[in-house]
Amino acid sequence: MHRHGAPRRTAAGPGRTTPRPVPRGTAPLLAVGLLLGVPLLGGCTSTSGGDPEPAPTSPASPSSGGASTTSASAPATAPPRQPPAELTEDQVNAAVARIDGYAQNALAKTGVPGLALAVVYKDKVIHAKGLGVRRLGKPEAVDPDTVFQLASVSKPISSTVVAGVVGQKTVKWDDPVTAHDPGFALADPWVSSHVTIADLFAHRSGLPDHAGDLLEDLGYQRDYILQHLREHRLAPFRASYAYTNYGLTEAAVAVAKAKGVAWEDLAADVLYKPLGMNSTSSLRSAYDSAANKATPHVRDAAGWQVSTTENPDPQAPAGGVSSTVQDLARWMRLQLADGTYEGKQIVDPAGLNETRLPQTVSSPTTAPAGRSGFYGLGWNVSYDAEGRLRLNHSGAFSLGAATVVTLLPSEQLGIVVLTNGQPTGVPEAVAEEFFDLAQYGHETVDWLGFLGKVVPAAAQSPASPTDYASPPAGAAPAKPDSAYLGTYGNDYFGPLTVGPGDGGGLVMSLGPDNLRFPLQHYDGDVFSFRTRGENAAGLSGVTFAVGADGKAATVVVEQFDHDGLGTFTRS
């Protein structure tokens, strides 16, 4: 998901900001979260989120990071670390008894083909269910062992992995990234040497929203994308929030380099294997080869259609995990038991606790009685209406996946909901309905009705302000094709070649695999092309600047110019 409008180029530094529009990629749910009063976000290329926040701690608590202090006026008994439990087992069981019916109704109303959910309570999996079908037109039903793509629900899983490595004393959350990946750099040398693993997991490095995602759409691989993050101008370091899949990915890669292994192997060794998450992987090939997997689907004017998502391997730590609700229930148990699983400490509790602390403000409140939203390390962090810590993250691929996980640690309660359709609000609605039913016995909001309108609107990439499908009356003709033919260079996106189309006209080629985009004339030296991939935004403009010699000296690609990087110069 993405952004529109080309902001002006300014230097990042104290007191300076680089204006940027809110991108689609910040998640279908950032906008939703602002309406709900909690931060919903995430996404790989989309995503969403939730609301968590760390519980208040006494001065002596391990999570406070400080020493114990006493005063003459202090009460004999320290206040509790978090509010007392508000839910009973009967309330939770009553919610479980009703949630399948709600989820089934949500599928019927929206047409989303399949859904799986699991509920964990007091270190037990008390419910796991599959509904609908894995693929439209096929009879195979979704079950709790069906493998789904998780999209940005990968982020809290990855922060769990890093917490495990922190517990092994190999890295610290506050280590500079360059301590473990010396070749990494951002636009500002000082920031490059000071940005930490935690900074990148908290999206506070100054990188713009979804930096690098368009390179993935063009087929570039992880190393190229991470090396080119230095081309992005930066917002103020640690003073601004912008959701970046590849910033988080770089931090995870640095941790893997500290261990001397690939990230995908590190995740398996630290988390998946010890928990017996045998159907979970950070490699797309594992999802592709799974016999019992949920196929992605998208909805168009003709209804729901089978789709194919892009390969998220380049951003695997941020969005490339695939799993089942059975496996994710094991992970939720570990989370709710402070890193313990089946009586064994798998992940260090101190390293894990840092992921749950609010690291940056992700959605400032806009009302006196509102609640700000925070981002931790791979988690949305907030408090619910009862004052309880709530950890949440959604994930979404516009090309066919939508997911959510929400935990209430004080209640030892969590739910995960996975679907095989593009963002519709269904997983978030099911999760919110579940907590309403548990807390109040009834829903407080028509979640499906509300989120079913807001999420698709928020998930849609902003269209160009220009209607390229309708050239203006009296449009100027294009110059001869020879004016535009040639190769144009760009330090970030690589070369762009304009050549003749197979059936006439012009074709623009980009990326390592020379993806071809036919150009349609709009007006004078302005053409359009149809965007595609996870960040597709309909028709976008291509504007040539033709010199006195009759040749175009530069070309600006509108879709790529949101951060001022879309100008290509003739080679």
Side-chain angles (χ1 to χ4, degrees), residues 115 141 206 221 291 309 319 324 384 409 440 560:
L115 174 152
Q221 296 305 303
T309 56
T324 69
D384 68 7
Y440 308 110
F560 300 163

Side-chain angles (χ1 to χ4, degrees), residues 54 62-65 81 159-160 162-163 166-167 169 171-175 196-198 201-202 204 335 338 347-360 375-379 381 391:
S63 60
S64 70
R81 292 184 59 190
S159 70
T160 309
V162 175
V166 168
K169 310 301 183 185
V171 302
K172 299 187 296 294
W173 279 112
D174 290 334
D175 282 352
T196 66
I197 295 167
F201 261 87
R204 64 185 183 204
Q335 278 282 340
D338 291 329
V347 175
D348 176 66
L352 192 63
N353 186 67
E354 290 189 58
T355 69
R356 303 167 177 177
L357 302 175
Q359 303 285 337
T360 187
Y375 203 87
L377 302 175
W379 282 109
V381 177
L391 303 174

Side-chain angles (χ1 to χ4, degrees), residues 362-447:
S362 55
S363 55
T365 183
T366 56
R371 299 194 301 275
S372 294
F374 303 91
Y375 203 87
L377 302 175
W379 282 109
N380 292 292
V381 177
S382 70
Y383 292 107
D384 68 7
E386 312 302 320
R388 295 171 299 205
L389 169 67
R390 179 176 162 116
L391 303 174
N392 170 282
H393 216 292
S394 291
F397 287 147
S398 293
L399 293 176
T403 60
V404 71
V405 59
T406 304
L407 306 180
L408 284 182
S410 66
E411 306 291 349
Q412 300 177 60
L413 179 64
I415 186 171
V416 61
V417 187
L418 311 178
T419 67
N420 59 348
Q422 70 184 67
T424 59
V426 167
E428 292 80 12
V430 171
E432 294 302 324
E433 181 76 10
F434 174 76
F435 286 106
D436 262 6
L437 293 175
Q439 183 68 48
Y440 308 110
H442 60 84
E443 70 177 11
T444 60
V445 173
D446 174 8
W447 292 113

Side-chain angles (χ1 to χ4, degrees), residues 215 220-228 491-494:
L215 292 177
Y220 286 104
Q221 296 305 303
R222 181 186 296 167
D223 286 349
Y224 180 94
I225 297 171
L226 296 180
Q227 290 166 7
H228 285 75
D491 290 341
Y492 184 73
F493 288 103

Side-chain angles (χ1 to χ4, degrees), residues 156-166 255 263 266-268 270-272 347:
I157 292 174
S158 295
S159 70
T160 309
V161 174
V162 175
V165 181
V166 168
V255 172
W263 169 260
L266 181 66
V270 172
L271 189 65
Y272 307 158
V347 175

Side-chain angles (χ1 to χ4, degrees), residues 425-521:
V426 167
E428 292 80 12
V430 171
E432 294 302 324
E433 181 76 10
F434 174 76
F435 286 106
D436 262 6
L437 293 175
Q439 183 68 48
Y440 308 110
H442 60 84
E443 70 177 11
T444 60
V445 173
D446 174 8
W447 292 113
L448 187 61
F450 172 58
L451 294 170
K453 293 177 181 177
V454 176
V455 170
Q460 186 175 4
S461 288
S464 169
T466 302
D467 180 8
Y468 289 105
S470 302
K479 293 180 176 60
D481 287 355
S482 59
Y484 312 115
L485 296 174
T487 298
Y488 303 78
N490 181 291
D491 290 341
Y492 184 73
F493 288 103
L496 177 157
T497 300
V498 178
D502 294 337
L506 299 172
V507 171
M508 175 176 71
S509 299
L510 284 156
D513 299 323
N514 286 316
L515 299 180
R516 291 167 60 84
F517 300 88
L519 298 181
Q520 299 295 323
H521 182 248

